[in-house]
Amino acid sequence: MTSENLSLILTSLGPIVLAAIAGTIPLALISFAVGLAIAVAVALMRLSKVRIVSALARFYVSVVRGTPLLVQLFVIFYGLPSIGLTIDPWPSAIAAFSINVGGYAAEIVRAAILSVPKGQWEAAHVIGMSRRLALRRIILPQAARVSVPPLSNTFISLVKDTSLASLILVTELFRQTQEIAAFSGEFMTLYLEAALVYWVICLGLSAAQNRLERRLDRYVAH
Amino acid sequence: MSRTEPLLTVRGLAKSFGATPVLRSIDLDVPAGTVTTLIGPSGSGKTTLLRCLNGLEVPEAGTVTVSGGPSVDFGDAVSQRRLAALRDCSAMVFQHYNLFPHKTVLDNVIEGPVIVQRRPRPEAVAEATALLERVGLGEKRDAYPFSLSGGQQQRVGIVRALALKPRLLLFDEPTSALDPELVGDVLSLMRELAAEGWTMVVATHELQFAREVANEVLFMDGGVIVERGRRRRCSAARTRSARGASCSG
């Protein structure tokens, strides 16, 4: 590695990391939080006994999982203006990522709720709980433990998927990298550097996942 | 309330799973302060009968009446609200305990009183602690269920039911999942509760217990009560205030 390359890495690292902190990470965090709320709602709709409600939820999941995220992003940012709905890059990105996470995580949450033994519902009812209260106090906390590993997967995917937002003008890690690369012409160096930064972020997330699992494991036999 | 009016009255209860009838026209009276045991082979309908008494199963026909409480006619459509009202009269102890694994022993016990019945937390904690100490689990207050033996978990299950202060205690084969050496503790606790005058309906395979403790033993087979064995324990229906007195059972 030449010394020019090394100094390029060092001078570009600042702006790239900054773009990660100001763009990639908040984009991922907000989208995941909103997406998770959508997911719980959609999962509960799917479990509903009212057929039309569960059909709606199934339709949502089917559309989200059956179409590419990039297409969803473009429909919202480039498509909607043609029917008079113009949304800025950031809100467009958050909307697309949230809707996408909502679809994938809904299935995870649904499976996690179903994995809680029926006896837990019954015990909750016997102490006088309504369905809603049982869900909130007894079922969801147990479902949460089961869903941490698959949801972590979804979150890690999301962090990397936020790079697609570079295509709708959101200044995040990858777009920042592209700009520096175009300016310097050192594509290999800079894209590998971007890959490294993504990887470091995801390493941190894996560590956080382990800690969370251990915390939630305190009531499980080992 | 008349003294002879039973706490729980069941008439014409019928339930089937698909095309298979599991209960056929069950009649049952449970006077206050008495113990009724349901015995019979597996699949005879004991558990289903018990679960119909608190609406965990919804029968197709029949009535369940709690004196001074709800009377539910299952011939009509029954709202969740009516089922909840019926359920609030009783508490159930499960064969597989069904403790909440994510809550400590104490939190398992106070969940109903504090969250559902909205009683003051300090009061609920004090009562729960006293009950846990009584069953020898005072030190396990802050433990999680996984760290307890089956017998300990079932005693917590019983305490969780008692903490609700129900009028009726339902036991669904409470010792069937226990190792043989742990059965004794749970049965002796149930004997104490019976002697204190709790109204109990117990589905069990413990014939000895069923005979000794019950005021009435119901033998079930094929979804019907095939035999009723009544025995006089005391001259009058026992109440909690009469605990121990002149009871030579």
Side-chain angles (χ1 to χ4, degrees):
Chain A
M1 184 180 285
T2 63
S3 64
E4 290 99 86
N5 271 349
L6 190 63
S7 79
L8 177 64
I9 289 173
L10 290 177
T11 53
S12 62
L13 192 60
I16 289 175
V17 168
L18 210 64
I21 292 170
T24 300
I25 290 171
L27 199 54
L29 280 177
I30 296 169
S31 303
F32 190 70
V34 178
L36 203 55
I38 294 174
V40 173
V42 172
L44 293 178
M45 284 173 65
R46 261 220 72 178
L47 293 170
S48 166
K49 288 194 187 86
V50 185
R51 202 166 291 172
I52 180 83
V53 174
S54 93
L56 266 173
R58 242 200 324 271
F59 176 72
Y60 176 87
V61 171
S62 173
V63 169
V64 166
R65 293 204 303 193
T67 56
L69 175 54
L70 185 58
V71 174
Q72 295 165 12
L73 200 63
F74 273 37
V75 165
I76 290 173
F77 186 69
Y78 294 112
L80 288 182
S82 65
I83 59 163
L85 196 62
T86 304
I87 308 175
D88 285 344
W90 260 85
S92 291
I94 286 173
F97 293 138
S98 301
I99 289 168
N100 193 264
V101 166
Y104 280 92
E107 288 296 279
I108 294 171
V109 173
R110 184 176 71 97
I113 290 173
L114 289 176
S115 78
V116 177
K118 204 164 158 259
Q120 292 293 309
W121 283 102
E122 294 183 346
H125 288 322
V126 161
I127 66 169
M129 288 187 169
S130 62
R131 225 185 114 73
R132 179 183 292 252
L133 194 58
L135 192 68
R136 185 162 66 78
R137 302 272 317 170
I138 306 300
I139 305 301
L140 284 181
Q142 295 182 58
R145 167 63 190 89
V146 182
S147 56
V148 167
L151 283 180
S152 302
N153 240 349
T154 306
F155 188 48
I156 287 173
S157 289
L158 173 65
V159 168
K160 295 174 296 175
D161 286 345
T162 56
S163 58
L164 293 175
S166 63
L167 295 167
I168 61 163
L169 317 174
V170 173
T171 306
E172 43 63 71
L173 196 162
F174 189 61
R175 188 174 174 82
Q176 181 66 267
T177 310
Q178 280 180 309
E179 281 169 6
I180 300 171
F183 183 74
S184 68
E186 292 290 339
F187 294 101
M188 185 66 171
T189 307
L190 279 151
Y191 288 153
L192 282 179
E193 187 181 344
L196 188 71
V197 176
Y198 277 114
W199 187 35
V200 169
I201 294 172
C202 291
L203 280 178
L205 288 175
S206 292
Q209 173 190 349
N210 283 336
R211 283 185 55 159
L212 186 60
E213 279 180 39
R214 238 175 297 135
R215 220 180 95 80
L216 292 172
D217 260 350
R218 63 185 188 265
Y219 60 82
V220 181
H222 297 284
Chain B
M1 194 197 322
S2 128
R3 270 186 62 180
T4 52
E5 186 186 2
L7 175 65
L8 179 75
T9 311
V10 175
R11 289 292 175 267
L13 208 64
K15 167 83 186 168
S16 47
F17 291 126
T20 317
V22 280
L23 294 178
R24 317 169 196 234
S25 194
I26 300 281
D27 294 339
L28 174 67
D29 290 320
V30 181
T34 66
V35 177
T36 303
T37 50
L38 308 171
I39 59 179
S42 296
S44 59
K46 329 183 272 298
T47 291
T48 306
L49 172 55
L50 210 57
R51 290 162 60 87
C52 286
L53 300 182
N54 66 359
L56 280 185
E57 299 286 356
V58 179
E60 280 108 39
T63 58
V64 175
T65 306
V66 178
S67 129
S71 177
V72 181
D73 184 348
F74 289 102
D76 308 328
V78 180
S79 67
Q80 287 298 319
R81 206 194 192 105
R82 304 273 304 153
L83 280 186
L86 181 63
R87 203 168 281 149
D88 286 346
C89 298
S90 64
M92 180 178 250
V93 175
F94 296 91
Q95 179 178 356
H96 296 287
Y97 336 126
N98 295 0
L99 298 182
F100 305 128
H102 60 305
K103 293 183 182 293
T104 63
V105 165
L106 179 69
D107 286 339
N108 262 275
V109 177
I110 64 171
E111 182 76 8
V114 173
I115 302 297
V116 180
Q117 299 178 345
R118 299 192 171 279
R119 283 160 49 196
R121 194 185 164 89
E123 179 193 307
V125 169
E127 278 180 22
T129 307
L131 281 169
L132 287 170
E133 270 161 13
R134 184 194 150 170
V135 302
L137 292 173
E139 286 167 18
K140 298 289 185 184
R141 226 182 79 134
D142 299 317
Y144 283 93
F146 76 85
S147 66
L148 306 184
S149 72
Q152 290 172 329
Q153 290 196 46
Q154 192 57 296
R155 277 180 280 158
V156 175
I158 293 172
V159 166
R160 181 172 69 178
L162 294 177
L164 297 167
K165 303 190 177 174
R167 297 176 65 198
L168 180 65
L169 284 172
L170 307 174
F171 292 83
D172 181 14
E173 304 193 22
T175 58
S176 296
L178 296 177
D179 292 336
E181 69 271 21
L182 301 175
V183 170
D185 281 352
V186 170
L187 289 184
S188 66
L189 173 57
M190 289 170 64
R191 278 197 181 87
E192 284 176 37
L193 297 177
E196 281 173 27
W198 286 89
T199 311
M200 298 161 54
V201 182
V202 186
T204 184
H205 288 292
E206 299 285 336
L207 297 183
Q208 176 81 4
F209 172 84
R211 267 200 300 270
E212 275 176 29
V213 180
N215 301 80
E216 185 166 43
V217 183
L218 305 179
F219 299 86
M220 292 189 69
D221 198 9
V224 292
I225 296 171
V226 291
E227 204 181 329
R228 294 169 191 258
R230 198 179 286 275
R231 68 188 216 98
R232 284 173 64 85
R233 273 179 71 88
C234 298
S235 47
R238 292 158 309 144
T239 61
R240 272 204 252 182
S241 57
R243 142 187 197 188
S246 77
C247 234
S248 56

Short mmCIF file of all heavy atoms in Angstrom, two decimals, chain A residues 118-120 122-129 133 137-139 141-142 217-222, chain B residues 51 54 56 87-88 90-92 94 98-103 111-112 115-116 144 146 160 164:
data_model
loop_
_atom_site.label_atom_id
_atom_site.label_comp_id
_atom_site.label_asym_id
_atom_site.label_seq_id
_atom_site.Cartn_x
_atom_site.Cartn_y
_atom_site.Cartn_z
N LYS A 118 -49.58 -22.38 25.06
CA LYS A 118 -50.98 -22.02 25.27
C LYS A 118 -51.29 -21.87 26.76
O LYS A 118 -52.12 -21.06 27.16
CB LYS A 118 -51.85 -23.12 24.66
CG LYS A 118 -53.22 -22.69 24.27
CD LYS A 118 -53.86 -23.71 23.33
CE LYS A 118 -55.37 -23.58 23.36
NZ LYS A 118 -56.02 -24.60 24.20
N GLY A 119 -50.60 -22.67 27.58
CA GLY A 119 -50.83 -22.61 29.02
C GLY A 119 -50.55 -21.24 29.62
O GLY A 119 -51.12 -20.87 30.64
N GLN A 120 -49.69 -20.46 28.97
CA GLN A 120 -49.41 -19.11 29.46
C GLN A 120 -50.61 -18.19 29.26
O GLN A 120 -50.93 -17.38 30.11
CB GLN A 120 -48.17 -18.55 28.74
CG GLN A 120 -46.89 -19.26 29.12
CD GLN A 120 -46.51 -19.00 30.57
OE1 GLN A 120 -46.46 -17.86 31.01
NE2 GLN A 120 -46.29 -20.06 31.32
N GLU A 122 -53.65 -19.30 29.17
CA GLU A 122 -54.68 -19.78 30.09
C GLU A 122 -54.40 -19.29 31.51
O GLU A 122 -55.31 -18.85 32.20
CB GLU A 122 -54.75 -21.31 30.04
CG GLU A 122 -55.23 -21.81 28.69
CD GLU A 122 -55.37 -23.31 28.61
OE1 GLU A 122 -54.87 -24.00 29.52
OE2 GLU A 122 -55.99 -23.79 27.64
N ALA A 123 -53.14 -19.37 31.92
CA ALA A 123 -52.80 -18.90 33.27
C ALA A 123 -53.11 -17.41 33.39
O ALA A 123 -53.61 -16.95 34.42
CB ALA A 123 -51.33 -19.16 33.56
N ALA A 124 -52.85 -16.65 32.33
CA ALA A 124 -53.15 -15.22 32.35
C ALA A 124 -54.65 -14.98 32.46
O ALA A 124 -55.10 -14.13 33.23
CB ALA A 124 -52.59 -14.54 31.10
N HIS A 125 -55.42 -15.75 31.69
CA HIS A 125 -56.89 -15.60 31.78
C HIS A 125 -57.39 -15.97 33.16
O HIS A 125 -58.30 -15.34 33.69
CB HIS A 125 -57.57 -16.46 30.72
CG HIS A 125 -57.41 -15.95 29.33
ND1 HIS A 125 -57.44 -14.60 29.03
CD2 HIS A 125 -57.20 -16.57 28.14
CE1 HIS A 125 -57.26 -14.42 27.73
NE2 HIS A 125 -57.10 -15.61 27.17
N VAL A 126 -56.80 -17.02 33.74
CA VAL A 126 -57.27 -17.49 35.04
C VAL A 126 -57.01 -16.45 36.13
O VAL A 126 -57.79 -16.34 37.07
CB VAL A 126 -56.61 -18.86 35.37
CG1 VAL A 126 -56.68 -19.16 36.85
CG2 VAL A 126 -57.31 -19.96 34.59
N ILE A 127 -55.95 -15.66 36.00
CA ILE A 127 -55.76 -14.62 37.01
C ILE A 127 -56.54 -13.36 36.64
O ILE A 127 -56.35 -12.30 37.23
CB ILE A 127 -54.27 -14.29 37.29
CG1 ILE A 127 -53.61 -13.68 36.07
CG2 ILE A 127 -53.52 -15.51 37.76
CD1 ILE A 127 -52.23 -13.10 36.41
N GLY A 128 -57.40 -13.48 35.64
CA GLY A 128 -58.35 -12.41 35.36
C GLY A 128 -57.97 -11.47 34.23
O GLY A 128 -58.60 -10.44 34.03
N MET A 129 -56.92 -11.81 33.48
CA MET A 129 -56.48 -10.88 32.44
C MET A 129 -57.33 -11.00 31.18
O MET A 129 -57.72 -12.09 30.78
CB MET A 129 -55.03 -11.17 32.07
CG MET A 129 -54.04 -10.75 33.14
SD MET A 129 -52.35 -10.93 32.55
CE MET A 129 -51.49 -10.08 33.86
N LEU A 133 -54.42 -7.51 27.91
CA LEU A 133 -53.50 -7.43 29.06
C LEU A 133 -52.57 -8.64 29.09
O LEU A 133 -51.37 -8.52 29.36
CB LEU A 133 -54.33 -7.35 30.36
CG LEU A 133 -53.59 -6.94 31.63
CD1 LEU A 133 -52.95 -5.58 31.45
CD2 LEU A 133 -54.55 -6.91 32.82
N ARG A 137 -48.55 -8.23 29.13
CA ARG A 137 -47.82 -8.54 30.35
C ARG A 137 -47.15 -9.92 30.32
O ARG A 137 -46.13 -10.14 30.95
CB ARG A 137 -48.75 -8.50 31.58
CG ARG A 137 -49.45 -7.19 31.80
CD ARG A 137 -48.68 -6.23 32.62
NE ARG A 137 -48.02 -6.82 33.78
CZ ARG A 137 -47.14 -6.19 34.53
NH1 ARG A 137 -46.81 -4.94 34.24
NH2 ARG A 137 -46.59 -6.77 35.56
N ILE A 138 -47.80 -10.86 29.63
CA ILE A 138 -47.35 -12.25 29.72
C ILE A 138 -46.77 -12.76 28.40
O ILE A 138 -45.70 -13.37 28.38
CB ILE A 138 -48.53 -13.17 30.16
CG1 ILE A 138 -49.17 -12.64 31.45
CG2 ILE A 138 -48.07 -14.61 30.31
CD1 ILE A 138 -48.25 -12.57 32.65
N ILE A 139 -47.46 -12.53 27.31
CA ILE A 139 -47.07 -13.18 26.05
C ILE A 139 -45.93 -12.43 25.34
O ILE A 139 -44.90 -13.02 25.01
CB ILE A 139 -48.29 -13.32 25.10
CG1 ILE A 139 -49.44 -14.04 25.82
CG2 ILE A 139 -47.89 -14.03 23.81
CD1 ILE A 139 -49.11 -15.43 26.32
N PRO A 141 -43.63 -10.28 26.38
CA PRO A 141 -42.28 -10.35 26.99
C PRO A 141 -41.58 -11.69 26.71
O PRO A 141 -40.37 -11.72 26.53
CB PRO A 141 -42.56 -10.19 28.49
CG PRO A 141 -43.86 -9.45 28.56
CD PRO A 141 -44.65 -9.92 27.37
N GLN A 142 -42.37 -12.76 26.67
CA GLN A 142 -41.75 -14.06 26.39
C GLN A 142 -41.44 -14.20 24.90
O GLN A 142 -40.44 -14.82 24.51
CB GLN A 142 -42.67 -15.20 26.85
CG GLN A 142 -42.87 -15.21 28.35
CD GLN A 142 -43.73 -16.37 28.81
OE1 GLN A 142 -43.42 -17.52 28.56
NE2 GLN A 142 -44.83 -16.06 29.46
N ASP A 217 -32.00 -13.82 29.16
CA ASP A 217 -31.86 -15.24 29.49
C ASP A 217 -31.90 -15.49 30.99
O ASP A 217 -31.84 -16.63 31.42
CB ASP A 217 -30.53 -15.78 28.97
CG ASP A 217 -30.75 -16.53 27.67
OD1 ASP A 217 -31.91 -16.76 27.33
OD2 ASP A 217 -29.74 -16.87 27.02
N ARG A 218 -32.02 -14.44 31.79
CA ARG A 218 -31.85 -14.65 33.22
C ARG A 218 -32.94 -15.55 33.80
O ARG A 218 -32.78 -16.10 34.86
CB ARG A 218 -31.76 -13.33 33.96
CG ARG A 218 -33.00 -12.49 33.87
CD ARG A 218 -32.80 -11.13 34.53
NE ARG A 218 -34.08 -10.45 34.57
CZ ARG A 218 -34.49 -9.59 33.66
NH1 ARG A 218 -33.71 -9.27 32.69
NH2 ARG A 218 -35.67 -9.04 33.74
N TYR A 219 -34.06 -15.69 33.08
CA TYR A 219 -35.11 -16.55 33.61
C TYR A 219 -35.20 -17.90 32.90
O TYR A 219 -36.16 -18.61 33.02
CB TYR A 219 -36.46 -15.84 33.59
CG TYR A 219 -36.94 -15.41 32.23
CD1 TYR A 219 -37.57 -16.32 31.38
CD2 TYR A 219 -36.80 -14.10 31.80
CE1 TYR A 219 -38.02 -15.94 30.15
CE2 TYR A 219 -37.26 -13.71 30.56
CZ TYR A 219 -37.87 -14.64 29.74
OH TYR A 219 -38.31 -14.25 28.50
N VAL A 220 -34.17 -18.22 32.12
CA VAL A 220 -34.21 -19.48 31.39
C VAL A 220 -33.17 -20.43 31.98
O VAL A 220 -32.07 -20.01 32.31
CB VAL A 220 -33.92 -19.24 29.89
CG1 VAL A 220 -33.97 -20.54 29.13
CG2 VAL A 220 -34.91 -18.25 29.31
N ALA A 221 -33.54 -21.68 32.11
CA ALA A 221 -32.59 -22.67 32.63
C ALA A 221 -31.44 -22.87 31.66
O ALA A 221 -31.62 -22.82 30.45
CB ALA A 221 -33.32 -24.00 32.84
N HIS A 222 -30.25 -23.05 32.18
CA HIS A 222 -29.09 -23.22 31.31
C HIS A 222 -28.60 -24.67 31.32
O HIS A 222 -28.64 -25.31 32.32
CB HIS A 222 -27.94 -22.31 31.73
CG HIS A 222 -28.33 -20.86 31.61
ND1 HIS A 222 -28.38 -20.21 30.41
CD2 HIS A 222 -28.74 -19.98 32.54
CE1 HIS A 222 -28.77 -18.97 30.61
NE2 HIS A 222 -29.00 -18.80 31.89
N ARG B 51 -62.45 -27.25 33.15
CA ARG B 51 -62.17 -26.07 32.31
C ARG B 51 -63.42 -25.38 31.82
O ARG B 51 -63.38 -24.20 31.44
CB ARG B 51 -61.28 -26.49 31.13
CG ARG B 51 -59.86 -26.85 31.55
CD ARG B 51 -59.15 -27.65 30.48
NE ARG B 51 -59.06 -26.92 29.23
CZ ARG B 51 -58.07 -26.07 28.94
NH1 ARG B 51 -57.10 -25.87 29.79
NH2 ARG B 51 -58.06 -25.44 27.80
N ASN B 54 -64.66 -22.52 34.41
CA ASN B 54 -64.14 -21.14 34.38
C ASN B 54 -64.03 -20.60 32.96
O ASN B 54 -63.35 -19.62 32.71
CB ASN B 54 -62.80 -21.04 35.12
CG ASN B 54 -61.69 -21.81 34.42
OD1 ASN B 54 -61.92 -22.44 33.39
ND2 ASN B 54 -60.49 -21.75 34.96
N LEU B 56 -62.53 -21.67 30.33
CA LEU B 56 -61.37 -21.92 29.46
C LEU B 56 -61.80 -22.77 28.27
O LEU B 56 -61.24 -22.69 27.19
CB LEU B 56 -60.24 -22.63 30.23
CG LEU B 56 -59.34 -21.77 31.11
CD1 LEU B 56 -58.22 -22.60 31.70
CD2 LEU B 56 -58.78 -20.57 30.38
N ARG B 87 -65.00 -16.43 35.20
CA ARG B 87 -63.62 -16.80 35.51
C ARG B 87 -63.15 -16.11 36.79
O ARG B 87 -62.36 -16.67 37.55
CB ARG B 87 -62.76 -16.36 34.34
CG ARG B 87 -61.47 -17.09 34.21
CD ARG B 87 -60.85 -16.78 32.88
NE ARG B 87 -61.45 -17.53 31.80
CZ ARG B 87 -61.54 -17.09 30.56
NH1 ARG B 87 -61.10 -15.88 30.23
NH2 ARG B 87 -62.07 -17.84 29.63
N ASP B 88 -63.65 -14.90 37.03
CA ASP B 88 -63.21 -14.16 38.20
C ASP B 88 -63.67 -14.79 39.51
O ASP B 88 -63.16 -14.45 40.58
CB ASP B 88 -63.73 -12.71 38.13
CG ASP B 88 -62.96 -11.90 37.11
OD1 ASP B 88 -61.90 -12.38 36.67
OD2 ASP B 88 -63.43 -10.80 36.75
N SER B 90 -63.33 -17.89 40.25
CA SER B 90 -62.49 -19.03 40.61
C SER B 90 -61.04 -18.77 40.25
O SER B 90 -60.71 -17.82 39.56
CB SER B 90 -62.98 -20.27 39.86
OG SER B 90 -62.80 -20.09 38.47
N ALA B 91 -60.18 -19.63 40.76
CA ALA B 91 -58.79 -19.64 40.32
C ALA B 91 -58.44 -21.09 40.03
O ALA B 91 -59.04 -21.99 40.60
CB ALA B 91 -57.87 -19.07 41.38
N MET B 92 -57.51 -21.30 39.11
CA MET B 92 -57.20 -22.67 38.72
C MET B 92 -55.73 -22.98 38.93
O MET B 92 -54.85 -22.14 38.69
CB MET B 92 -57.56 -22.87 37.25
CG MET B 92 -57.29 -24.28 36.74
SD MET B 92 -57.80 -24.46 35.02
CE MET B 92 -59.20 -25.55 35.22
N PHE B 94 -52.90 -25.60 37.61
CA PHE B 94 -52.74 -26.41 36.41
C PHE B 94 -51.85 -27.63 36.64
O PHE B 94 -50.96 -27.61 37.49
CB PHE B 94 -52.11 -25.58 35.29
CG PHE B 94 -52.94 -24.42 34.83
CD1 PHE B 94 -52.81 -23.17 35.42
CD2 PHE B 94 -53.86 -24.57 33.79
CE1 PHE B 94 -53.57 -22.09 34.99
CE2 PHE B 94 -54.62 -23.49 33.36
CZ PHE B 94 -54.47 -22.26 33.95
N ASN B 98 -47.85 -23.89 34.80
CA ASN B 98 -48.02 -22.68 33.99
C ASN B 98 -47.63 -21.40 34.72
O ASN B 98 -48.28 -20.37 34.59
CB ASN B 98 -49.47 -22.55 33.50
CG ASN B 98 -49.86 -23.66 32.54
OD1 ASN B 98 -49.04 -24.53 32.24
ND2 ASN B 98 -51.08 -23.65 32.06
N LEU B 99 -46.55 -21.48 35.47
CA LEU B 99 -46.02 -20.25 36.06
C LEU B 99 -45.49 -19.37 34.93
O LEU B 99 -45.15 -19.88 33.86
CB LEU B 99 -44.90 -20.56 37.06
CG LEU B 99 -45.31 -21.41 38.26
CD1 LEU B 99 -44.12 -21.59 39.20
CD2 LEU B 99 -46.48 -20.78 39.01
N PHE B 100 -45.40 -18.06 35.18
CA PHE B 100 -44.86 -17.16 34.17
C PHE B 100 -43.34 -17.19 34.28
O PHE B 100 -42.78 -16.73 35.27
CB PHE B 100 -45.39 -15.74 34.39
CG PHE B 100 -46.90 -15.68 34.43
CD1 PHE B 100 -47.56 -15.05 35.47
CD2 PHE B 100 -47.66 -16.26 33.42
CE1 PHE B 100 -48.95 -15.00 35.51
CE2 PHE B 100 -49.05 -16.22 33.45
CZ PHE B 100 -49.69 -15.58 34.50
N PRO B 101 -42.64 -17.74 33.28
CA PRO B 101 -41.20 -17.97 33.42
C PRO B 101 -40.38 -16.69 33.50
O PRO B 101 -39.27 -16.71 34.01
CB PRO B 101 -40.85 -18.77 32.16
CG PRO B 101 -41.92 -18.45 31.19
CD PRO B 101 -43.16 -18.19 31.99
N HIS B 102 -40.95 -15.58 32.99
CA HIS B 102 -40.17 -14.34 32.96
C HIS B 102 -40.39 -13.50 34.21
O HIS B 102 -39.92 -12.39 34.29
CB HIS B 102 -40.52 -13.53 31.71
CG HIS B 102 -41.98 -13.15 31.63
ND1 HIS B 102 -42.99 -14.08 31.69
CD2 HIS B 102 -42.59 -11.96 31.50
CE1 HIS B 102 -44.15 -13.47 31.58
NE2 HIS B 102 -43.94 -12.18 31.48
N LYS B 103 -41.12 -14.05 35.16
CA LYS B 103 -41.37 -13.31 36.39
C LYS B 103 -40.87 -14.11 37.59
O LYS B 103 -40.93 -15.34 37.59
CB LYS B 103 -42.87 -13.02 36.54
CG LYS B 103 -43.38 -12.06 35.49
CD LYS B 103 -44.84 -11.74 35.68
CE LYS B 103 -45.33 -10.81 34.59
NZ LYS B 103 -44.71 -9.48 34.67
N GLU B 111 -49.01 -10.69 40.44
CA GLU B 111 -49.46 -10.19 39.13
C GLU B 111 -50.99 -9.99 39.10
O GLU B 111 -51.47 -8.93 38.71
CB GLU B 111 -49.02 -11.16 38.03
CG GLU B 111 -49.38 -10.73 36.62
CD GLU B 111 -48.49 -9.61 36.07
OE1 GLU B 111 -47.48 -9.28 36.73
OE2 GLU B 111 -48.80 -9.09 34.99
N GLY B 112 -51.73 -11.01 39.53
CA GLY B 112 -53.19 -10.91 39.52
C GLY B 112 -53.70 -9.84 40.48
O GLY B 112 -54.43 -8.94 40.08
N ILE B 115 -52.03 -6.16 39.20
CA ILE B 115 -52.30 -5.70 37.84
C ILE B 115 -53.77 -5.83 37.47
O ILE B 115 -54.35 -4.96 36.83
CB ILE B 115 -51.43 -6.48 36.82
CG1 ILE B 115 -49.94 -6.32 37.16
CG2 ILE B 115 -51.71 -6.01 35.40
CD1 ILE B 115 -49.42 -4.91 37.08
N VAL B 116 -54.39 -6.94 37.89
CA VAL B 116 -55.78 -7.16 37.49
C VAL B 116 -56.75 -6.61 38.53
O VAL B 116 -57.67 -5.87 38.20
CB VAL B 116 -56.06 -8.66 37.26
CG1 VAL B 116 -57.50 -8.88 36.83
CG2 VAL B 116 -55.10 -9.21 36.20
N TYR B 144 -36.49 -17.32 40.01
CA TYR B 144 -37.31 -17.53 38.82
C TYR B 144 -37.79 -18.98 38.81
O TYR B 144 -37.10 -19.87 39.33
CB TYR B 144 -36.51 -17.21 37.55
CG TYR B 144 -36.39 -15.72 37.32
CD1 TYR B 144 -35.30 -15.00 37.80
CD2 TYR B 144 -37.40 -15.03 36.66
CE1 TYR B 144 -35.20 -13.63 37.60
CE2 TYR B 144 -37.32 -13.65 36.46
CZ TYR B 144 -36.22 -12.97 36.93
OH TYR B 144 -36.13 -11.62 36.75
N PHE B 146 -37.74 -21.42 36.80
CA PHE B 146 -36.92 -22.52 36.28
C PHE B 146 -36.02 -23.13 37.36
O PHE B 146 -35.61 -24.27 37.24
CB PHE B 146 -36.07 -22.06 35.09
CG PHE B 146 -34.87 -21.21 35.46
CD1 PHE B 146 -33.67 -21.83 35.83
CD2 PHE B 146 -34.93 -19.84 35.45
CE1 PHE B 146 -32.57 -21.08 36.18
CE2 PHE B 146 -33.83 -19.07 35.79
CZ PHE B 146 -32.65 -19.69 36.17
N ARG B 160 -50.34 -18.68 43.92
CA ARG B 160 -50.81 -17.70 42.93
C ARG B 160 -52.34 -17.71 42.84
O ARG B 160 -52.98 -16.66 42.72
CB ARG B 160 -50.22 -18.01 41.55
CG ARG B 160 -50.64 -17.04 40.47
CD ARG B 160 -49.88 -17.27 39.17
NE ARG B 160 -50.26 -18.51 38.52
CZ ARG B 160 -49.77 -18.92 37.35
NH1 ARG B 160 -48.89 -18.18 36.71
NH2 ARG B 160 -50.15 -20.06 36.82
N LEU B 164 -55.47 -14.59 44.67
CA LEU B 164 -56.59 -13.92 44.00
C LEU B 164 -57.82 -13.86 44.90
O LEU B 164 -58.80 -13.21 44.56
CB LEU B 164 -56.96 -14.66 42.71
CG LEU B 164 -55.88 -14.72 41.63
CD1 LEU B 164 -56.26 -15.74 40.57
CD2 LEU B 164 -55.71 -13.35 41.00
#
